[in-house]
Amino acid sequence: MMQEYTQGNCWYECIRGCGKRYSIFDVVYHCEDCGGLLEVKHDLDILRQRSASEWKAAFNQRIFSTAWPYGSGVWGKKEWICPLVADDNIVSTYEGNSNLFWAQRFGKELGMDDLWIKLCGNSHTGSFKDLGMTVLVSVVNQMIRDGQPLRAIACASTGDTSAALAAYGAAAGIPTVILLPKAKVSTAQLIQPIANGATVLSLDTDFDGCMAIVQQLTQDPSIYLANSLNSLRIEGQKTVGIEIVQQFDWEVPDWIILPSGNLGNVRALGNGLLMMKELGLINRLPRIACAQAENANPLYRSYLSGFKEFEPAPAKKTLASAIQIGNPVSYERARQTLIDFDGVVEQASEAELANTCAQADRTGLYCCPHTGVALASLKKLLLKGVIKPTERVVVISTAHGLKFSQFKVDYHHNQLAGIDAVYANPPQELPATYAAVQAAIKNLYSSPSGEVGRGL
Ligand SMILES: *Cc1c(COP(=O)(O)O)cnc(C)c1O
Ligand SMILES: [Zn+2]
């Protein structure tokens, strides 16, 4: 039986190692001494009151639990994420616990047999942003109930962050303010915060421009900042790596690949895995590959310089709109994670991401363009011999393809500028006759080996 467990503790600490600490209930985003980013640290001695196998048993047991809020993939690991929020103050949509899809057919096309896709887009608002937003909004909810004078939560967004913030804010009854780059997010993404009642402000700039304004806006301490500069988001997103390992019965895969823009998620992935290693749940680390769009590749360029240089530059337009970021706020965090995990960075062109998305969709997936960037990067890393076809690889799919319907419509009508849509599958228009329909399907076949085709 598990021993009595003392309430855990966590705090913000400057990542530059100057030692400065703050309460997670303070409205603070940077170290006031040296300007460094802050990160949540946990009292690991308290967590060591439970052995690795006791933690594994507890985490396994809580999946689908009806005991609020432990059935959530994030809050099922509450002691590791945010032990200081009261269960009653938690704002959760039972996020996390998303499917790990065995990409058997797609893997086979790449010569692999151990390829898995972590479907983080199968979530309340359709992206992994829910994992972090539940923690941030829960902490704010507790601050408000404790009487702190907060008026609203605000974020700049390429789409998915705003959808998550608006939904969690609405669930808790907390006003939200969304700054979006005009005409740079999909209709499906724009409509989510509108529907959830957020104050949506569409600005004639890019994401980096919105980010600069929201940072000014949140200098007013009654407007709380929800971008991933705020490390509460990272605490929730940290569960993705833990969940992946848990879904392999606590075996560590060889590689985890994820599309990266503002670079908070790669840090979160790394932090969760490092915590597992420190607490003895695993004894080795996977390697991490960050995938960037060629049109928004500051991390890739820095990687080519051995991380000696970092040159932000305005991002060019990319179909992978959620990672169209030229000046990632978490560069410093991501750099360290890539060093710790013997990481690599790859990039994908617009044609590569669009065609790879469509290729993967033909094997039963429904990929967002960012997942396309990650899958196209996987192909290139296989060709370069960096990733071996026998290795176990997990690709993090960051959003649901349904949020990017226009991208898929344009692709399948071969209407994406400059892209030859090699897998385009437009509907065939036929006269309404039995003969015409029969003729259209007469060459379809399937076979016991799993081959599917259309004949000649
Ligand atoms: C936010 C987002 C990313 C990028 O995550 P970062 O933490 O900014 O690197 C990738 N894909 C999707 C769909 C996203 O919403
Ligand atoms: Zn500092």
Side-chain angles (χ1 to χ4, degrees):
M1 281 288 96
M2 275 180 213
Q3 67 187 94
E4 199 57 45
Y5 180 81
T6 321
Q7 154 96 61
N9 192 18
C10 64
W11 57 87
Y12 289 135
E13 197 168 306
C14 174
I15 67 164
R16 291 192 183 151
C18 81
K20 185 88 180 170
R21 290 184 179 190
Y22 301 89
S23 157
I24 62 161
F25 301 107
D26 286 348
V27 181
V28 59
Y29 314 109
H30 286 104
C31 172
E32 284 162 353
D33 288 355
C34 76
L37 292 170
L38 302 174
E39 199 145 74
V40 177
K41 295 276 182 216
H42 292 261
D43 186 331
L44 294 180
D45 286 334
I46 294 177
L47 294 170
R48 286 197 185 93
Q49 291 171 41
R50 282 186 186 161
S51 68
S53 56
E54 284 171 330
W55 281 121
K56 289 178 186 174
F59 293 164
N60 284 342
Q61 228 166 49
R62 289 171 180 172
I63 294 175
F64 297 123
S65 161
T66 53
W68 179 266
Y70 294 91
S72 150
V74 172
W75 297 106
K77 299 175 174 71
K78 184 183 174 193
E79 298 90 336
W80 290 34
I81 304 300
C82 196
L84 300 180
V85 185
D87 290 351
D88 287 350
N89 290 333
I90 285 172
V91 184
S92 170
T93 61
Y94 269 35
E95 50 290 307
N97 289 329
S98 59
N99 183 32
L100 186 58
F101 178 96
W102 183 21
Q104 196 181 9
R105 280 192 66 220
F106 183 65
K108 220 178 200 174
E109 290 180 14
L110 307 187
M112 307 173 75
D113 62 9
D114 213 358
L115 175 62
W116 302 77
I117 318 280
K118 176 68 170 162
L119 295 176
C120 293
N122 293 2
S123 185
H124 190 71
T125 70
S127 87
F128 77 86
K129 297 295 200 293
D130 291 347
L131 301 175
M133 207 54 79
T134 182
V135 177
L136 184 139
V137 175
S138 297
V139 168
V140 173
N141 197 35
Q142 179 148 321
M143 289 161 78
I144 291 171
R145 290 185 180 182
D146 286 347
Q148 287 199 49
L150 292 171
R151 289 194 291 145
I153 313 178
C155 76
S157 176
T158 52
D160 294 326
T161 299
S162 58
L165 175 59
Y168 283 83
I174 301 170
T176 56
V177 179
I178 310 293
L179 272 56
L180 289 165
K182 196 171 162 184
K184 290 193 178 69
V185 301
S186 75
T187 309
Q189 288 175 309
L190 184 64
I191 202 65
Q192 287 179 285
I194 290 174
N196 286 136
T199 300
V200 179
L201 308 173
S202 176
L203 306 186
D204 197 2
T205 178
D206 58 5
F207 171 78
D208 300 289
C210 291
M211 191 66 219
I213 293 178
V214 84
Q215 291 199 50
Q216 276 178 289
L217 195 68
T218 52
Q219 277 166 15
D220 170 353
S222 73
I223 310 288
Y224 192 84
L225 176 69
N227 282 96
S228 60
L229 184 65
N230 183 324
S231 54
L232 292 174
R233 295 257 314 277
I234 295 191
E235 285 312 284
Q237 291 171 205
K238 203 171 83 176
T239 54
V240 69
I242 307 174
E243 237 179 70
I244 288 168
V245 174
Q246 184 176 8
Q247 284 169 308
F248 286 123
D249 293 327
W250 308 101
E251 270 180 40
V252 179
D254 297 307
W255 284 92
I256 299 178
I257 307 179
L258 76 170
S260 299
N262 223 1
L263 308 182
N265 206 30
V266 58
R267 178 65 170 202
L269 171 68
N271 283 2
L273 293 162
L274 287 174
M275 201 159 167
M276 290 181 92
K277 188 149 180 276
E278 274 178 292
L279 292 170
L281 280 74
I282 56 175
N283 52 28
R284 70 178 187 102
L285 296 174
R287 292 183 70 187
I288 291 179
C290 281
Q292 292 215 293
E294 210 172 289
N295 284 352
N297 65 354
L299 183 70
Y300 179 73
R301 287 183 284 109
S302 174
Y303 168 72
L304 293 184
S305 78
F307 294 121
K308 284 188 190 65
E309 281 150 42
F310 172 58
E311 288 173 14
K316 286 181 246 158
K317 191 168 170 43
T318 169
L319 292 163
S321 52
I323 56 175
Q324 188 175 325
I325 294 173
N327 187 12
V329 296
S330 287
Y331 169 76
E332 202 178 321
R333 288 170 169 151
R335 178 183 187 274
Q336 189 57 50
T337 300
L338 287 168
I339 293 169
D340 292 346
F341 285 77
D342 194 11
V344 301
V345 185
E346 187 50 87
Q347 66 173 4
S349 69
E350 296 301 290
E352 286 167 340
L353 78 87
N355 282 318
T356 306
C357 254
Q359 184 189 356
D361 286 358
R362 293 181 71 94
T363 67
L365 288 151
Y366 197 67
C367 296
C368 75
H370 323 87
T371 305
V373 169
L375 294 172
S377 296
L378 164 63
K379 282 186 186 169
K380 295 168 93 169
L381 292 168
L382 282 165
L383 276 176
K384 289 179 182 171
V386 176
I387 295 181
K388 310 274 177 301
T390 51
E391 289 182 301
R392 172 170 285 175
V393 177
V394 179
V395 172
I396 296 183
S397 174
T398 44
H400 202 295
L402 284 170
K403 286 185 143 192
F404 298 87
S405 298
Q406 196 58 49
F407 156 67
K408 294 194 184 284
V409 170
D410 292 345
Y411 180 90
H412 286 288
H413 289 94
N414 205 357
Q415 280 170 356
L416 290 173
I419 294 174
D420 179 18
V422 296
Y423 298 101
N425 181 31
Q428 303 170 45
E429 289 185 14
L430 299 175
T433 65
Y434 173 68
V437 172
Q438 202 192 28
I441 68 166
K442 75 173 189 302
N443 290 329
L444 293 179
Y445 67 87
S446 62
S447 75
S449 64
E451 252 177 82
V452 179
R454 289 153 184 257
L456 297 172

